[in-house]
Amino acid sequence: MSANLTRCFSLPKSSYALVDGRHNANGQRIRNWTYHPDNHPAGWQSEDQYALAHLIPLLLCGEQSAQLVFNQEITRLFVQDSPENDKMIKSLISVEQDEARHDQALQWVLQHLPVVAQQNKIQGQARLFYAKLGRGESRCQHFIKIATLDACVTQIMHALAHCLLGESHPFAVLCGLIKKDEAKHVYIAKRHAQALGATSAMFKHEQQIISGLLHQLLITQTQHFTALGVDLERVFDVLESKWQ
């Protein structure tokens, strides 16, 4: 983590991400990417480092929040001790493992980027956004929101993987790997929400609200998305078209 930043959200007390996940091919690619000397940010253009120093705190908050949410739901399902929960528990554990790997990789990048004056403010805005999501809601509503957020993150990572950095740039490669995981998370979170009672109408309602709120958060950093060639308006237009 950058020298002046603590974690956006604490690690789960008992993390299921420690379960052996070596069978996960994309997870292995992310592990191999992290700490690899060829991917060290010191060799990146200073303008790109500066932009990413503003954007990665936003991405990290989402990964760290997701770890807690999925961990809590896994624990709840374990306590129920119901055989029909076994398959979903395995799926949710795979998501927590993925989010932990994303968190680790993004933290490693941020540790080697310049510290910018606005990082604490950016992190605080992101923390408030994610902290508000689950307040006073049913688990069903919460997982509808998570599926929606993961769909948004998938599109954002796609944009970063194909931005002005170039598709062979180490950070673009990392974003492409994270995107693959997030697309899987959309499916798992959506399926779990449906098992909890979610309907198509509920999804449509939350998609409009959540994408709007996330858009408001991200446009605070429009300058830095634009510097990397990411058009946020286009990103959210694509999401809107997918949900119609």
Side-chain angles (χ1 to χ4, degrees):
M1 187 71 70
S2 184
N4 68 337
L5 288 181
T6 58
R7 288 184 64 85
C8 202
F9 294 96
S10 61
L11 283 167
K13 292 181 180 178
S14 299
S15 177
Y16 301 102
L18 298 176
V19 176
D20 187 2
R22 284 177 293 182
H23 63 283
N24 184 319
N26 200 56
Q28 187 61 54
R29 293 185 192 101
I30 293 176
R31 279 192 292 268
N32 292 343
W33 186 98
T34 308
Y35 310 125
H36 195 291
D38 289 347
N39 300 329
H40 199 288
W44 303 354
Q45 294 291 328
S46 58
E47 296 85 353
D48 299 334
Q49 291 187 41
Y50 183 73
L52 290 171
H54 287 82
L55 300 182
I56 289 179
L58 293 172
L59 303 177
L60 270 172
C61 260
E63 303 292 351
Q64 293 171 4
S65 172
Q67 286 179 72
L68 284 176
V69 170
F70 282 97
N71 180 273
Q72 290 165 359
E73 186 65 359
I74 294 163
T75 300
R76 185 186 73 83
L77 294 175
F78 266 130
V79 169
Q80 284 186 353
D81 194 23
S82 173
E84 55 265 28
N85 287 340
D86 289 349
K87 188 174 181 180
M88 181 53 67
I89 286 171
K90 289 179 182 178
S91 294
L92 297 179
I93 287 175
S94 76
V95 175
E96 186 185 350
Q97 291 173 335
D98 291 345
E99 302 291 12
R101 282 188 289 267
H102 303 170
D103 179 15
Q104 187 177 37
L106 290 169
Q107 282 197 54
W108 180 72
V109 175
L110 189 61
Q111 286 169 359
H112 297 97
L113 293 177
V115 175
V116 296
Q118 294 294 308
Q119 275 183 339
N120 281 299
K121 180 180 179 181
I122 295 166
Q123 186 190 61
Q125 291 171 329
R127 182 190 291 117
L128 182 61
F129 170 80
Y130 285 101
K132 284 181 175 180
L133 287 180
R135 290 179 184 171
E137 294 182 336
S138 68
R139 286 187 299 276
C140 176
Q141 288 174 303
H142 202 179
F143 273 87
I144 292 171
K145 290 185 175 182
I146 290 168
T148 300
L149 276 172
D150 284 342
C152 294
V153 172
T154 300
Q155 198 62 41
I156 292 163
M157 288 299 178
H158 175 81
L160 287 168
H162 297 85
C163 69
L164 291 177
L165 292 173
E167 293 183 22
S168 62
H169 188 283
F171 191 75
V173 171
L174 175 62
C175 290
L177 295 172
I178 291 175
K179 174 202 165 185
K180 290 182 180 180
D181 285 341
E182 294 296 344
K184 177 184 73 175
H185 300 174
V186 175
Y187 172 78
I188 292 173
K190 183 176 181 179
R191 188 176 62 173
H192 191 49
Q194 290 169 334
L196 294 169
T199 65
S200 296
M202 292 166 69
F203 269 102
K204 188 170 184 179
H205 174 71
E206 291 294 351
Q207 284 165 348
Q208 293 176 336
I209 294 173
I210 294 301
S211 63
L213 291 174
L214 182 62
H215 187 216
Q216 290 177 22
L217 172 65
L218 297 186
I219 60 174
T220 62
Q221 301 305 315
T222 296
Q223 171 189 349
H224 304 294
F225 279 108
T226 301
L228 297 178
V230 174
D231 183 344
L232 283 177
E233 301 308 315
R234 175 168 172 73
V235 167
F236 283 90
D237 284 346
V238 170
L239 284 165
E240 185 72 23
S241 67
K242 287 178 180 291
W243 289 332
Q244 285 180 351

